[in-house]
Amino acid sequence: MTLKIAVIGAGPSGIYVAEGIKKKLPDTMVDFIERLPTPFGLVRFGVAPDHQGTKKVINQYEKFFDQDGIRLIGNVEVGKDISVQDLQEHYDAVVIANGAREDKRLGIPGEDLDGVYGSAAFVSWYNSHPDYKDLSPIPEHAKSAIVIGNGNVAIDVARILVKSAEEMSDSDLADYTRAAIDKASISDVVIAGRRGPAEASFTPPELRELGKLEHALPVIEGAVIPDELPSHIDTSQPAGRIKGKVLDIFRSFTEMERDGKDKTIHLQFLASPTAFLGEEKVEAVQFERMELNEDGKPTGTGELFDIPADLVVSAIGYYSQPLAGVPFDEKLGRYPNEEGLIQDNLYVVGWGKRGPSGTIPTNRPCSFKTSQIIMDQITANPAKQGGQAIDKLLAEKGCKVTTFADWKAIDAAETKTEARQKIASVDEMLAII
Ligand code: NAP
């Protein structure tokens, strides 16, 4: 008997869970239910527009969708057009792979001022996500920005703000983003971390890019780069050894000359945000100077200081979105699960399973583990009609469903020019199909 699986979300973790099952049970039929007519989730809307190498993984995903038994049911929102329970009724197993697209909040005064954005919104804006194309986050006069957080998303945001059109020529940055960045001409970007250089979550290739910017110089502020890693970092582990490389890169920044660079990326350490200041729009961020205990945990010193800014992006992590009738941990922002199993025939993979961590390839082994569990626990039920029943249900509801062939038509329209010009409007996409 053929297994029938529904995957909610056509991003990397969903594709990998299906790949894991198809490798062992090639007859399995998988329907990807995707809110937008465009597949590939985080690769399209999360990976930075100047990281085209990372986006090449799409070539593998295209081949995956080419095989028998794989369908894209696009432009259908689970929770609105159709419920998780509808899917559970008609498929042998349902896998939630909807990522984490809500911004974690700092919960400090002034967070709702104009000019303060979460990185989920800001990154989606510069990556032409239809929900955020009208965000317009960069004030015309903006000369300074603060990015809160010491992870790779903070680096992406800072880099995009200071790179010139020439440096971005191979990217798929939206025209409207380019125009907004050029009009403002931000010269100072502060990346603020509440802990020190050794505790930052940056990874070496991403951090190194800050030293290769044509117009911006990275400068260390608020902390001295230690000669050795602090004792709370375990250098016998790969993660600890990465921290050593990160410190070497910071050290190389301290030796760099300005060489005519007129922009600065201030790597401001040991600074924890306590308030966003301003009347109607943000004008500054108030920080408390932190010190670290021997475990590397930050504690406040009571010393407060302000850094002015015309724009603030908080890049401190993400939450998944709850789905009606599915258990959800509001505090952690993800679905409680055991290696992907939520309950009965319901599973979760990706950031909804383990939280917002890891790169695109991290998802493959993580999703494969859940594929195995699904295959161990689920047997095909002949009473379940899978896609046939769902197609009927969606037709009855009058949904304008899109397919993978429709995506290929959108893709062709976007790639008429040398650099992809992403279409940021669903209506425009539907008009092409
Ligand atoms: P992340 O790596 O988890 O970093 C989050 C940062 O936010 C940390 O520095 C954390 O500091 C800080 N933070 C959290 N709560 C805070 C608070 N209340 N106040 C101040 N700071 C706070 O998350 P991310 O940057 O969003 O990245 C998500 C994942 O995607 C990561 O695994 C990342 O490597 C990956 N990613 C990879 C790439 C790439 O490979 N090119 C690009 C983008 C993202 P503490 O450490 O002190 O908690």
Side-chain angles (χ1 to χ4, degrees):
M1 266 307 289
T2 304
L3 268 185
K4 300 182 189 76
I5 313 265
V7 179
I8 303 170
S13 66
I15 292 173
Y16 292 133
V17 77
E19 185 195 344
I21 297 174
K22 286 286 273 185
K23 264 175 188 287
K24 296 203 174 150
L25 301 172
D27 290 342
T28 303
M29 299 178 65
V30 186
D31 283 346
F32 287 87
I33 326 291
E34 169 59 57
R35 188 168 71 93
L36 295 169
T38 52
F40 314 140
L42 195 71
V43 181
R44 183 173 167 96
F45 296 121
V47 173
D50 57 341
H51 282 175
Q52 290 297 313
T54 309
K55 289 182 193 247
K56 285 205 174 109
V57 70
I58 283 179
N59 298 336
Q60 294 167 25
Y61 298 166
E62 298 262 356
K63 280 192 195 129
F64 176 77
F65 269 94
D66 250 356
Q67 59 186 310
D68 286 344
I70 303 288
R71 294 197 310 164
L72 178 69
I73 300 181
N75 201 34
V76 172
E77 185 169 351
V78 175
K80 194 173 134 223
D81 301 316
I82 201 166
S83 69
V84 174
Q85 295 69 35
D86 289 330
L87 297 173
Q88 283 183 281
E89 189 184 331
H90 296 297
Y91 290 88
D92 295 310
V94 177
V95 188
I96 298 172
N98 58 357
R101 60 189 171 93
E102 294 290 318
D103 277 303
K104 200 170 138 188
R105 284 175 67 86
L106 280 157
I108 59 174
E111 201 162 7
D112 293 321
L113 279 172
D114 261 12
V116 180
Y117 298 91
S119 56
F122 194 81
V123 169
S124 297
W125 170 72
Y126 68 56
N127 272 330
S128 311
H129 192 295
D131 292 356
Y132 294 95
K133 67 179 191 324
D134 300 322
L135 192 69
S136 246
I138 304 183
E140 277 185 28
H141 65 277
K143 294 287 167 272
S144 58
I146 295 176
V147 188
I148 296 167
N150 267 187
N152 286 334
V153 172
I155 290 189
D156 282 348
V157 170
R159 197 180 65 248
I160 298 302
L161 286 174
V162 298
K163 267 192 166 184
S164 63
E166 213 169 65
E167 286 173 285
M168 294 293 283
S169 59
D170 289 337
S171 80
D172 59 4
L173 190 73
D175 283 349
Y176 61 75
T177 310
R178 184 71 264 155
I181 291 172
D182 287 347
K183 198 161 201 179
S185 188
I186 291 173
S187 57
D188 288 86
V189 179
V190 175
I191 301 179
R194 61 182 167 183
R195 297 195 284 157
E199 291 77 23
S201 301
F202 308 135
T203 47
E206 286 65 35
L207 184 59
R208 223 171 267 127
E209 282 182 71
L210 292 187
K212 293 180 185 159
L213 296 167
E214 235 166 84
H215 303 281
L217 182 74
V219 173
I220 311 286
E221 293 171 7
V224 174
I225 308 302
D227 291 334
E228 284 176 13
L229 283 169
S231 57
H232 67 86
I233 292 175
D234 182 357
T235 48
S236 69
Q237 296 300 317
R241 290 196 288 276
I242 286 175
K243 300 276 186 205
K245 286 190 188 154
V246 164
L247 282 197
D248 288 344
I249 299 166
F250 284 139
R251 222 167 274 123
S252 73
F253 290 171
T254 63
E255 287 157 13
M256 283 178 70
E257 302 283 342
R258 189 158 277 281
D259 276 340
K261 291 178 179 171
D262 57 355
K263 299 182 180 187
T264 307
I265 293 193
H266 307 260
L267 289 147
Q268 176 68 243
F269 293 105
L270 299 170
S272 181
T274 47
F276 298 104
L277 309 176
E279 289 298 315
E280 279 162 26
K281 57 176 188 52
V282 73
E283 288 164 25
V285 179
Q286 181 190 65
F287 289 96
E288 181 174 10
R289 180 60 68 205
M290 307 304 275
E291 58 190 12
L292 300 183
N293 69 14
E294 55 189 31
D295 295 330
K297 297 251 157 35
T299 47
T301 62
E303 180 198 336
L304 299 176
F305 61 101
D306 301 346
I307 302 181
D310 303 312
L311 164 71
V312 180
V313 181
S314 162
I316 61 159
Y318 305 116
Y319 284 145
S320 294
Q321 278 197 321
L323 284 162
V326 180
F328 190 75
D329 184 331
E330 296 281 348
K331 201 157 165 253
L332 292 175
R334 55 183 193 245
Y335 305 90
N337 69 90
E338 259 178 60
E339 205 52 91
L341 171 69
I342 299 178
Q343 53 175 227
D344 304 329
N345 63 343
L346 185 61
Y347 298 83
V348 60
V349 289
W351 283 5
K353 170 184 172 184
R354 65 175 192 277
S357 68
T359 58
I360 305 288
T362 312
N363 287 296
R364 199 159 184 257
C366 185
S367 286
F368 277 10
K369 278 192 189 154
T370 305
S371 315
Q372 189 56 54
I373 287 171
I374 294 172
M375 289 183 284
D376 291 345
Q377 294 180 343
I378 299 289
T379 47
N381 178 347
K384 300 216 177 193
Q385 286 187 350
Q388 250 181 322
I390 288 309
D391 291 352
K392 193 161 161 261
L393 194 60
L394 290 170
E396 280 164 12
K397 287 171 181 257
C399 292
K400 166 96 184 83
V401 174
T402 62
T403 63
F404 198 75
D406 294 333
W407 151 246
K408 293 303 293 172
I410 297 167
D411 185 37
E414 286 187 344
T415 49
K416 273 192 221 142
T417 45
E418 202 179 325
R420 179 184 291 273
Q421 286 287 324
K422 280 188 188 165
I423 298 167
S425 144
V426 171
D427 285 343
E428 252 181 76
M429 291 178 197
L430 296 180
I432 287 169
I433 294 164

